[in-house]
Amino acid sequence: MLALSLAIFSLAARADFSDGEIRVGLLVDMQSTYAHITGSGSVAAARMAIEDVGGKINGKPIRLFFADHGNSVAQGSAVAKRWLFEEGVDVIADVASSPIALAVQEINRPKGAVVFYNGVMSTEITGSRCAATGVHWMYDSQAYTTALGRELTRSGARTWYFITLDNAFGRNTEKELAAVIEANGGQVLGRTYHGLGERQLFVKLRQAAESGAQVIALVDAGQDMIRAVRQSFDLLRVSKGKTVLAAVATALNDVHVMKPQLAQGLKLSHSFYWNQDPEARAWSQRFFERTGAMPSDLQAGVYSSLIHYFKAVAASDSDKGITVVARMREIPIRDPIVRNARLREDGRMVHDIYLLEVKKPGDIREPWDYLRVLRTIPGEQAFSPLSASACPLLAR
C-alpha cells in the first residue's frame, strides 16, 4: 500500500508537466511586413533565454518550435490550433500583429496555455477580450499614445494630422491617440487611411502637410511606416523641421532600414532601447554577436517574457498555464530588458516607457546608436489604470 501510494503521488507530481518537456512556440512574421522587427531576431532571443536557464527547468528539457504567421490571420490561427491542440505547446510568444493576436487569444481560451503578446498594440488583449493566461508583455497603444500624444502636446505641438493603417490596430490606436491629444489641449485637424502594404503614400502625406498640422502621426508599422517616413522627407515642411513626424509603432530596426538622415527628428516610443543603460547594453551586445543587429524592443521582449515564464515554471514546478501565470504575478520581474515592472490581474505587464527621437547623423557616435531618450514615463502613468480595465475576469 505504501508503494502504491508513493507511485500515485509520483504520477500526480509528474502530471504538472505535460509530455515530460516544456514546449515553447514562437509565432513570428518571418517574411512579411514585420519580419525585420520580429522574425529570426525573435527566434535568437528565445534561444538566448533557453540557454540562460540551462536548457531545462526542474530536470524537464525545453523544446523550441517556431513558425511564420505570414501576417495572415488564417495562417497564424492554423499554426496556433495545431500547436495547442495537437502538439502540446505550453507557451506561445511574439505573435506580432493585433488581428492575429486577437484570433490566437480566442483559440487558446479553452486550452489555457500561456500566450505572450510582445508586439501587439491592441488594448483589447487585456480589456474586453482578456483571457486568464493571455499576457500582454511589452507595449500597447495606450502606453505609446500617452508617451507621444501627451508629451508632445504638452510641449507645444497642439495640432495633429493622422496617416492611419486601415485595420484593427490602426483604428484602435488612432482613437486612443486622438483622445490623449484632445485631453491635453490639442486638436486633430484631419485623418486619412491606407491599406496594408500600400506603396504610394506621398499624396496622403502631402495632404497632411498642407493641413498646417504641427505633427503628422504615422499610425502604422513595419514597412508601411518606413515608406511613409521616406516619402515624407520630400515634403518641405517636414525636411525643414516645420512639421514633426511621430510614429506610434516603430522599432530600432525600422530606423536602421530607413536611414537616420531620412528619419532625423522622428519622435517615437519604445519599451526598451539597447543603449539605455549598461545592463541593457551588455545583453544587446550578446544579441548582436548572434544576429549582426541590435534588438528591437519586440525581440528583447521575447527574451524577457520567456525568462520570467521559466522562473515561474521552476517556482511552481508546473507548466499548467493558470498555475504559471499566478506565480508570474508573485515573482519580481527583473531582467536586462524591462524596468520597474509588475504583472497585473488583467494580464497587462506594466513597466517604464520611453519617448525618443532619431538623432541627426552628426550626433551618432557608434553603429546602431540612432536614438536619444527624451523622457522616461513611469508605467503607472503610461498604461491605462487597472480601475479603467474592461477585462471581465476582474472582480468588481
Side-chain angles (χ1 to χ4, degrees):
M1 289 296 294
L2 176 59
L4 179 60
S5 297
L6 289 173
I8 292 171
F9 176 82
S10 177
L11 287 170
R14 286 202 302 272
D16 282 339
F17 281 93
S18 57
D19 305 307
E21 63 183 6
I22 300 155
R23 297 178 182 176
V24 177
L26 285 188
L27 191 54
V28 294
D29 185 351
M30 297 295 287
Q31 302 180 58
S32 185
T33 303
Y34 308 124
H36 65 296
I37 56 178
T38 64
S40 59
S42 289
V43 177
R47 286 177 171 151
M48 288 173 67
I50 292 169
E51 291 170 14
D52 285 354
V53 298
K56 58 180 63 178
I57 302 292
N58 296 357
K60 303 298 189 295
I62 303 169
R63 183 179 175 190
L64 178 64
F65 298 72
F66 61 89
D68 182 9
H69 65 50
N71 207 30
S72 160
V73 172
Q75 186 170 321
S77 296
V79 172
K81 287 176 183 177
R82 185 180 74 249
W83 279 355
L84 293 168
F85 296 100
E86 297 177 21
E87 299 183 18
V89 166
D90 301 299
V91 56
I92 295 176
D94 199 305
V95 203
S97 168
S98 292
I100 297 172
L102 290 168
V104 172
Q105 185 89 314
E106 297 309 314
I107 291 167
N108 182 56
R109 197 177 295 278
K111 180 66 175 178
V114 178
V115 182
F116 290 106
Y117 303 102
N118 302 103
V120 176
M121 291 291 277
S122 176
T123 55
E124 288 185 276
I125 288 290
T126 55
S128 61
R129 304 276 292 277
C130 72
T133 58
V135 181
H136 207 162
W137 195 254
M138 296 302 276
Y139 55 76
D140 65 19
S141 58
Q142 178 66 42
Y144 275 12
T145 56
T146 297
L148 284 171
R150 186 185 70 186
E151 300 301 322
L152 293 181
T153 302
R154 287 182 177 180
S155 68
R158 300 283 179 176
T159 54
W160 294 63
Y161 195 103
F162 295 159
I163 305 292
T164 301
L165 178 62
D166 192 9
N167 70 0
F169 144 63
R171 290 185 178 272
N172 176 271
T173 304
E174 177 194 274
K175 181 180 177 180
E176 292 182 349
L177 179 56
V180 170
I181 291 165
E182 291 164 0
N184 286 277
Q187 180 183 7
V188 178
L189 300 183
R191 49 179 56 81
T192 188
Y193 299 94
H194 68 82
L196 184 69
E198 189 170 324
R199 305 297 298 180
Q200 296 300 324
L201 300 174
F202 182 76
V203 172
K204 294 173 181 178
L205 290 162
R206 182 174 61 194
Q207 180 181 342
E210 289 174 349
S211 73
Q214 294 168 286
V215 184
I216 298 175
L218 305 177
V219 192
D220 47 19
Q223 295 298 327
D224 292 319
M225 186 275 303
I226 290 171
R227 275 191 292 273
V229 172
R230 284 175 169 169
Q231 293 177 29
S232 70
F233 196 77
D234 290 333
L235 299 167
L236 289 178
R237 287 186 62 87
V238 174
S239 60
K240 291 184 177 181
K242 294 181 179 179
T243 298
V244 172
L245 290 183
V248 299
T250 185
L252 177 69
N253 316 60
D254 294 326
V255 178
H256 184 72
V257 171
M258 69 180 72
K259 306 302 180 186
Q261 58 265 35
L262 295 182
Q264 58 184 295
L266 175 70
K267 302 299 189 294
L268 52 131
S269 298
H270 277 181
S271 45
F272 168 83
Y273 180 50
W274 75 268
N275 209 13
Q276 66 191 40
D277 58 35
E279 189 178 8
R281 183 183 177 95
W283 182 86
S284 299
Q285 291 289 356
R286 289 177 55 207
F287 181 92
F288 182 85
E289 290 169 4
R290 291 169 176 253
T291 65
M294 286 299 178
S296 70
D297 46 354
L298 287 75
Q299 293 161 344
V302 168
Y303 176 89
S304 174
S305 60
L306 289 179
I307 281 290
H308 195 63
Y309 172 81
F310 294 148
K311 290 177 182 177
V313 169
S316 59
D317 203 25
S318 171
D319 62 5
K320 186 177 180 181
I322 196 69
T323 301
V324 175
V325 170
R327 188 55 64 95
M328 283 169 54
R329 293 195 183 99
E330 299 171 358
I331 298 173
I333 302 172
R334 188 68 183 89
D335 59 48
I337 311 305
V338 298
R339 302 291 177 269
N340 303 315
R342 68 182 182 90
L343 179 60
R344 295 192 322 203
E345 292 84 352
D346 60 349
R348 172 70 264 171
M349 194 270 281
V350 176
H351 56 283
D352 289 349
I353 296 291
Y354 307 98
L355 176 67
L356 309 97
E357 71 174 359
V358 177
K359 294 178 179 179
K360 296 178 180 178
D363 294 333
I364 298 171
R365 304 304 180 196
E366 61 180 314
W368 289 92
D369 191 27
Y370 303 137
L371 307 178
R372 177 183 294 108
V373 177
L374 300 177
R375 208 158 302 155
T376 299
I377 298 95
E380 299 300 334
Q381 296 179 22
F383 293 95
S384 180
L386 187 61
S387 60
S389 175
C391 175
L393 299 177
L394 297 177
R396 299 296 182 183

